[in-house]
Amino acid sequence: MSEVLTLEAFPHSTMVKEGEELAQQGKEAVEWLRTLGVSTPADRYHGYVRAIEAFGKFQGDEAAVRKTADTFVNANAELYELIRVRKALLQVDSQGYLDTLKKISQGQPFRHIAENDPGRDYLFEMSIAARLLNAGHEVDLNQIADIVAQVNGRKVYVEAKRIKSPSKLASRVSEANKQLKKRLAQDNSSTSRGIVAVNITDVISPSCETVLVQSESHLRDKHSHVFNGFITDNPESFHNGEQSKCLGAFIESSWQGWIWDGDSDPRLFFCRGATFKLYRVTQSEKDYVREFIPKLANQFG
């Protein structure tokens, strides 16, 4: 069995922001989409801004208040991903990504409602592209693969798959590997490689539930336990359809929770984790992966 590189060997980072600052950045990100001509007041992102602005003003019974709180948490989580994408794309010419940006505003406001959710599929592609850009790599989303990046002197093709249920993991990974095989066969360079990028948030948190914990470390530990546990319990699925020249699977997920110690006001906390599962590659390829993965995986803000 191939080796699993986890983030345990890397330092974690904690970013603290005032709620007002995060809300303002969310509004700016949605306005950015609007000025690019890819978002309208009727889409889900504008709805998230309205949900945050309305939070704390609503009154009703316990069920209604809980629903409003869940809507608030979901809105912050969705806007946080958009903020990350905008921050990365401001480093480059965003006009080159308009076709993809046009698609991310589509879909239901809650990710667990729809089985088929192309808007969030495209957002995941943009999120992986943002990771690569933030790590200092050149990225192109307008080629034959989901993402084509120049990583430390090599061209890397990335096929990104959001996994909606455990039963679909193996088939989706196999699909990505088949696509990478095709892309790499059309590439004349002997140094080009492929990566399968997988998001398992919907698998480990299928109902968008928000956990209540006492501290940031408790949420990180809880998320790591579930995240790494799922990967450990399903090792072969991440290898399904494994191809030569494919380096392995980059796996990520996110979780949200309320931090409350019983005394101070509750705080909203988002936890993102990532790891890389190596395929059966050469030692030089292992060294190559270990050179860039820590910076790709350990990101915040």
Side-chain angles (χ1 to χ4, degrees), residues 50-103:
R50 291 191 291 270
I52 291 174
E53 290 175 342
F55 184 67
K57 303 174 184 177
F58 180 83
Q59 293 182 348
D61 59 23
E62 183 177 348
V65 171
R66 180 180 293 275
K67 182 179 179 180
T68 301
D70 289 343
T71 301
F72 173 77
V73 173
N74 179 70
N76 276 278
E78 295 278 0
L79 287 177
Y80 176 61
E81 287 299 317
L82 181 61
I83 291 167
R84 290 184 55 252
V85 168
R86 174 180 180 257
K87 180 179 178 182
L89 290 188
L90 287 178
Q91 305 173 39
V92 297
D93 181 8
S94 300
Q95 294 293 322
Y97 301 91
L98 285 183
D99 287 343
T100 304
L101 287 171
K102 286 177 182 177
K103 301 167 184 173

Side-chain angles (χ1 to χ4, degrees), residues 18-36 39-41 43-54 57 72 75-76 78-84 86 90:
E18 293 292 334
E20 292 80 3
E21 181 182 356
L22 187 62
Q24 180 59 35
Q25 289 183 350
K27 291 177 66 173
E28 291 171 359
V30 174
E31 177 63 14
W32 169 70
L33 288 181
R34 190 195 65 77
T35 58
L36 289 174
S39 179
T40 68
D43 67 32
R44 64 189 182 97
Y45 283 117
H46 283 81
Y48 298 144
V49 171
R50 291 191 291 270
I52 291 174
E53 290 175 342
K57 303 174 184 177
F72 173 77
N76 276 278
E78 295 278 0
L79 287 177
Y80 176 61
E81 287 299 317
L82 181 61
I83 291 167
R84 290 184 55 252
R86 174 180 180 257
L90 287 178

Side-chain angles (χ1 to χ4, degrees), residues 141-208:
L141 282 156
N142 298 308
Q143 296 200 36
I144 59 174
D146 287 342
I147 303 165
V148 182
Q150 295 292 333
V151 180
N152 298 349
R154 290 178 184 245
K155 182 181 287 187
V156 175
Y157 295 89
V158 183
E159 291 293 340
K161 305 295 179 186
R162 286 175 61 247
I163 311 300
K164 293 292 291 183
S165 69
S167 63
K168 294 183 178 180
L169 173 60
S171 62
R172 295 286 279 164
V173 171
S174 178
E175 178 186 349
N177 273 306
K178 287 178 182 178
Q179 291 170 325
L180 288 170
K181 181 181 180 180
K182 181 179 179 180
R183 312 312 183 210
L184 290 164
Q186 297 170 344
D187 190 308
N188 294 324
S189 174
S190 62
T191 63
S192 297
R193 293 295 183 267
I195 289 176
V196 177
V198 180
N199 184 287
I200 60 172
T201 299
D202 289 337
V203 176
I204 66 173
S205 180
S207 301
C208 296

